[in-house]
């Protein structure tokens, strides 16, 4: 089968690889119909991780079941399913408690598995014609409708960005009547804002510096805040009668930059959020922070240690939740919102492309080329 | 009346001061029967804050109502009451939401008021014969029994250390079957461990280096971990099958020291907790972190910015709650536990002393003299 | 001053009564600008309670502060405020826990007080020119803007129907992705459906038999279910793939009728909800059930004992919350939603009338005359 | 293999039956070491259900894995495991949400499956030498130690009575400082009281009429209330300053009797609880209520409809949760409490007996013979 294979920093190819196949009785194999490129794929693409050449990318996958193991109880050939980016067993202590992003079974390297990602276990990615799905009864989310219908790209968002954005809002405990500050208007930040509205937020401030990202945020009802133009802390304080926003979401992570966008300052967004939210506020952090970052500006940052405003954080009695999303906690509800027509996250998708165009798409996406904000690959097309 | 007055760093006196009196119709004045010295009083005593000479100390107060404003609805002269260290109005947005430690009304300097503390509003302390209590209907916790009865010192713990310890356990979401790591076996840490057991913890590890503190922890069922002797991270990992503890509580704060106890390293406990708890764990931080610390070892630390293991924190999907306790959230329940004989926190009280001995007691407590771990002053005696 | 006074069953007059005045230092007096007639006022109006002649009606009140007690800390003459229908002290055990509908201080007859309602304490109603507000710092909700502005009727909904509808959704734990069945399309039921959407419901089924009420429900996005035409249980089961709705809200109460609308059958809605929701579902009951109902069809019903499908309820593992709304739990957030333009509950108001027209309005409302679904009186006009 | 087989009302035999065996790749078979007789087995034994002769009883099972399907990932031959009484798939909507007692996959008759119980799916019971365990990775709870060690009977309580009692306390939201009224001092009621203490209850009132059951309750710290001697409502009101208990647990269900113990009155306990708890209280109902009861005293009761004090329930703003326990929600934590020595539920076990004595044990247990309150069968012995 064909798949997107990592060759070296800044280079992927579409190559013939070994076919995906049933390995355990609880597996299924799907024919992939949609598989998106994620911002976190760029960490590997840019060589800022320890990923080795040969890895098949792709953790935002959906498709049609082609083959089924004889221990699978609830699925049939031909079923249309979406897969969370997390691979999870469903029966370990963490899975049972709903922490499927921290499954203790699937990854010998630590808590939590994923498809096609360095350090996340032995599961190849779905930027390919076929994909093996382990513990399929547990991991598959059933989808109504037909391959390629009007919801295809909405459903494609269920693997990662929609639930991940929602996770930010959930960890920040966004509820009816809340004001929310979201830092970072990439796909996850947009989904965090969108989810905040679904949960009843009164106002959402979106902080970024790229005009077309801010315009997209404004189009869903956010108050845009361009940090090249205003101090976001002051601006949001003013707009909230000097109190600060009730809640805050970090959708940027360690590759944060200061005004102008040139200089990386890994803790700047986190510390801005400490000042942006009001005393007793809560932060949901879905922007990535890593314990090892070879490309970091300082030695401490390279080890994942950042100068954090813990004094102010404590004085204000803040709380924060962090970490990758446990997709299964949210994906049924979000699917139902899509089917009912109350959510259509595919407005963030910038284009659908054949698998063959992946190398070009990676390049343009990595260059932050305008109009390449969220690419969905269509292996069958 | 007599009161404990701050004179200069390392010096308090007992002096005659102006009598406490009704200032607003919603005030009461109590005759103080018990008022404890708190570890956080030492921050002022040592000159590590901007406290000016003349301030009357004391935020852990209880006593008998002597006088009553004519807007007070539920209290009578002669009632025995305990006061939370927080002064709160009861009707602002934060008080309504249960965040009485972050009252928006009582302190012109920011969210949250307290008796006898620098920067916490205009309320004088209770290490005195009498104390004015604002918004008395809201702030007073009624106590059964008689002045000086068997529960006097248990009830004295309700102003701060018992609910503050409990707050740590609550923010860490300690529940039935949890393993908990508490760092810091001072009075608050002991109360955090004690509260963890009340909430159903399976095992509590107590990390400290002072033998008699560890012995006290052991006497209530904790597993003592002396960090001069073992690496607490490794030890607790081993004792929990390599997983780490489910929850963690920081009862040390920014004056943390490394093994040996000499060198301050303000973030060490926080970062040890990041490694101590398991992925998906939660931290409750009640040890103090300040946005300004003139005595800090580095310039960054002096501004409350510490090198925090955010990379590991995120990778493990951790969450943390911080900040001073909202005493009213817990003090009714904890009082009822005392009255029912299911909690007797006064085991942490090291001695009862007359008000006149306050200067000597402060000196010894500040020297960490053995046997001066928690002093309760008795102004009437 | 003029006020709406209950004379005898089916008769109220507008009469001169003693002026509202400050009685306690913590009181304020407002000049009433809006005061709505509530469906529960009809219970008294129809003589189905033990209300004595002479009582002044009105528990949905807002206005401008005219006078202020000297124990009031946060309010000023001229402030525009809305009052929850509950009168609450702010400092008893229940108020502290957020159960302001069950205040232990204000009503000698039991838990919970209200303005102008039999058995709810000594507080006269606000269908009058002026109103005394006890514990004013706690009970007043500050409003922006000016008397009679575009939000006047939206804010008028904050005293009761909007938060009460919201309470139904909150007790049923309605969240993102849920399907909800609301029984009863009166003002509270409409607000329960509206609130369910604010909380992220995927679909809301509204069950009633009056076409214009169902049309109003449909206009806010509900699926209308006319129980004169279809069996609501079967219909909703079909629409939810045979599972039943996730959540259910009873906005009818004990005066429920069977199809056709003639025969009262007090438990019918509650029991229909048991069948309508799916196993593990939750019910929020805001429709009134009373321990004494002189007009009930059976002796048991007259004592508030109804034949309840507890066997099915248990078998399905259902849960339910009941009782009058604790308005303060929700009114800040809902006010903020109004001000931000994300909620405009006044669409349920059928007309604004001068105080003098109250007798006629009561009569028409009691007759369920079309177009008299929610009347707001304007004493000043 | 030998098994306990239901023959006709009031008669079971130990007979040779077909061996338990692997049927699906995700099954295991265990050799049963302990299997308890449950009060709910008596419903079938007494002929008060539609159970047909031939059914093998036993839903409280534990043992050693003998055989393993090839789709099982985490278990090995020789592992010691306990099984929840619920059979659950682990991947349906309800299982994912933690409602394993309402699994949508395992039982064609409705939500929720169990071993050896009428209407709960095709799974034979464990009062036998061997037992087939479906979806074994998900259903098995790993146990430390060795077959027959000191914890054997403690662990045996993990299948049903300990988590079921805990479920009552959890649904009633029992927490630190609460007063709790438990009705029914059978094994589940005792476990509900025991669990209430684990969760921090201040006082637990145990209401029953059988002296030795009340003595057992008193031995774990409960206040015994004999309803043949006092009115439990009045007594508990008096003991709680006229307020009523904070929380209530129904561990009796529909076979409740009035004082004297002769006359069944199915709703009496539920209605007593409505009066026993204070306004804003919560009820956890684990005593069984059935939608069909051929032996009920009235036609309505036979259809599961009981006269319920909904008027008072609503007036007091009560809430209740009901239904069979989702064992997996609690069994890991409770196992850990046992291993840590903080819980030893086996004090409720009245005797261990060989499988062969099951017929006699059923007879004595059904007669409520003193000393036959909780029998654990030991098939291997």
């Amino acid at each position: 089968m064909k798949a997107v294979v990592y060759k070296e920093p800044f280079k992927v190819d579409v190559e013939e690889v070994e076919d995906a196949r049933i390995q355990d009785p609880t597996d299924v194999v799907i024919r992939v119909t949609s598989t998106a490129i994620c911002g976190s794929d760029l960490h590997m693409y840019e060589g800022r991780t320890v990923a080795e050449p040969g890895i098949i990318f792709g953790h935002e996958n959906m498709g049609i079941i082609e083959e089924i193991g004889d221990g699978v109880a609830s699925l049939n050939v031909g079923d249309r399913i979406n897969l969370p980016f997390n691979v999870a067993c469903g029966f370990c202590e963490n899975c049972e408690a709903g922490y499927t992003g921290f499954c203790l079974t699937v990854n010998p390297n630590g808590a939590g598995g994923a498809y096609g990602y360095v350090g996340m276990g032995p599961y190849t990615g779905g930027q390919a014609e076929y994909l093996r799905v382990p513990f399929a009864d547990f991991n598959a989310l059933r989808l109504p409708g037909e391959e390629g219908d009007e919801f295809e790209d909405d459903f494609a968002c269920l693997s990662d960005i929609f639930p991940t954005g929602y996770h930010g809002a959930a960890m920040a405990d966004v509820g009816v009547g809340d004001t929310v500050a979201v830092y970072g208007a990439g796909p996850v930040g947009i989904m965090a804002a969108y989810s905040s509205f679904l949960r009843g937020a009164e106002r959402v401030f979106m902080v970024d510096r790229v005009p077309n990202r801010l315009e997209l945020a404004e189009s869903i009802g956010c108050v845009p805040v361009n940090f090249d133009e205003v101090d976001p802390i002051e601006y949001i304080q003013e707009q909230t009668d000097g109190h600060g926003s009730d809640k805050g979401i970090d959708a940027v992570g360690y590759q944060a930059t200061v005004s102008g966008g040139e200089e990386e300052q890994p803790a700047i967004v986190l510390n801005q959020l400490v000042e942006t939210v009001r005393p007793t506020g809560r932060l949901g952090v879905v922007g990535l922070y890593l314990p090892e970052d070879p490309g970091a500006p300082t030695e401490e940052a390279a080890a994942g240690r950042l100068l954090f405003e813990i004094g102010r954080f404590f004085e204000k009695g803040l709380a924060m939740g962090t970490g990758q999303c446990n997709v299964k906690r949210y994906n049924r509800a979000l699917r139902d919102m899509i089917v009912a027509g109350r959510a259509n996250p595919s407005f963030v998708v910038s284009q659908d492309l054949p698998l063959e165009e992946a190398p070009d798409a990676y390049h343009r996406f990595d260059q932050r080329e305008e109009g390449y904000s969220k690419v969905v690959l269509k292996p069958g097309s």
Side-chain angles (χ1 to χ4, degrees), chain A:
Chain A
M1 66 177 192
K2 286 187 191 143
V4 177
V5 179
Y6 174 61
K7 307 304 289 183
E8 62 187 63
F10 302 101
K11 182 162 165 45
V12 294
D13 278 350
V14 176
E15 294 184 345
E16 279 292 325
V17 300
E18 200 182 350
D19 278 1
R21 61 182 176 76
I22 300 289
Q23 296 180 28
D24 290 304
T26 49
D27 291 351
V28 300
V29 168
I30 63 165
R31 176 171 52 79
V32 179
T33 60
S34 290
T35 175
I37 303 178
C38 179
S40 62
D41 288 327
L42 296 185
H43 300 310
M44 293 189 288
Y45 181 77
E46 295 174 357
R48 272 180 89 164
T49 68
V50 295
E52 299 285 335
I55 189 170
I56 299 172
F57 285 174
H59 56 267
E60 304 189 3
N61 307 310
M62 61 182 280
I64 306 294
I65 296 179
E66 283 274 317
E67 205 182 341
I68 249 172
D70 63 3
V72 174
S74 68
L75 300 168
N76 295 301
V77 169
D79 285 354
R80 186 189 196 191
I81 62 174
N82 177 278
L83 284 321
F85 77 86
N86 330 280
V87 176
C89 71
F91 51 76
C92 71
E93 181 171 3
N94 285 352
C95 282
E96 266 185 38
Y99 292 111
T100 52
F102 300 87
C103 173
L104 299 169
T105 303
V106 294
N107 182 1
N109 302 322
Y115 300 95
Y117 212 89
V118 59
M120 298 299 276
Y123 307 99
T124 59
Q127 293 174 7
E129 290 179 295
Y130 297 94
L131 176 69
R132 173 200 167 213
V133 178
F135 301 111
D137 281 317
F138 186 68
N139 286 304
L141 177 73
R142 300 275 199 97
L143 302 174
E146 304 275 316
E147 173 183 355
D149 65 10
E150 58 179 317
F151 293 135
E152 179 85 13
D153 278 357
D154 289 310
F155 289 151
C157 296
L158 288 171
S159 292
D160 187 345
I161 57 168
F162 193 11
T164 293
Y166 194 91
H167 189 47
M171 289 192 300
D173 195 25
V174 173
V176 172
D178 279 341
T179 52
V180 184
V182 180
Y183 279 72
V188 166
I190 293 285
M191 287 293 105
Y194 194 65
S195 297
S196 294
F197 284 126
L198 293 179
R199 294 171 65 96
E202 174 221 315
R203 261 174 303 161
V204 178
F205 300 95
M206 175 60 83
V207 183
D208 204 298
R209 56 179 294 279
V210 182
N212 65 344
R213 287 157 63 124
L214 288 168
E215 279 159 27
L216 188 62
E218 199 170 4
S219 75
I220 58 163
C222 295
V223 179
V225 183
N226 188 328
F227 72 84
D228 276 354
E229 295 170 4
V230 298
D231 178 321
I233 298 167
E234 279 176 26
Y235 181 82
I236 294 170
Q237 295 274 352
E238 275 166 33
Q239 298 290 314
T240 53
D241 302 322
H243 290 297
S245 67
D246 297 314
K247 309 292 166 62
I249 300 174
D250 176 351
V252 176
Y254 75 110
Q255 290 186 314
T257 58
V258 297
S259 174
E262 297 306 309
E263 185 201 340
E264 274 192 26
Q265 204 168 301
I268 190 171
V269 162
L270 203 55
N271 287 333
Q272 283 174 318
L273 275 166
V274 172
E275 294 299 334
T276 301
V277 302
R278 69 186 187 86
T280 76
R282 279 168 174 275
L283 305 184
V285 180
V286 288
L288 197 65
Y289 292 88
L290 292 177
E292 291 177 72
D293 172 20
T298 68
E299 192 183 331
E300 293 291 1
R305 275 190 294 277
L306 304 183
L307 279 166
F308 174 52
E309 298 273 3
I310 183 71
R312 284 288 283 162
F313 191 92
F314 183 93
E315 183 185 51
K316 296 175 81 170
L318 303 184
M320 73 174 169
T322 68
Q324 66 175 8
C325 180
N326 309 293
V327 173
K328 281 183 69 71
R329 215 176 246 178
Y330 314 115
N331 66 358
R332 282 182 189 264
L334 297 180
R335 175 199 63 190
D336 292 349
M337 294 297 274
I338 290 170
V339 174
R342 299 192 77 82
N344 59 328
S346 62
F347 71 86
V348 299
V349 173
S350 52
Q351 62 270 98
D352 292 339
L353 294 175
L355 191 66
E356 288 68 21
E357 295 191 28
D360 183 59
Y362 267 91
H363 176 71
R364 292 171 189 268
F365 183 37
D366 189 53
Q367 295 293 313
R368 273 74 177 160
E369 189 170 309
E370 194 168 325
Y372 276 78
S373 56
K374 186 69 189 175
V375 172
V376 181
L377 301 171
K378 306 286 173 176
S381 68

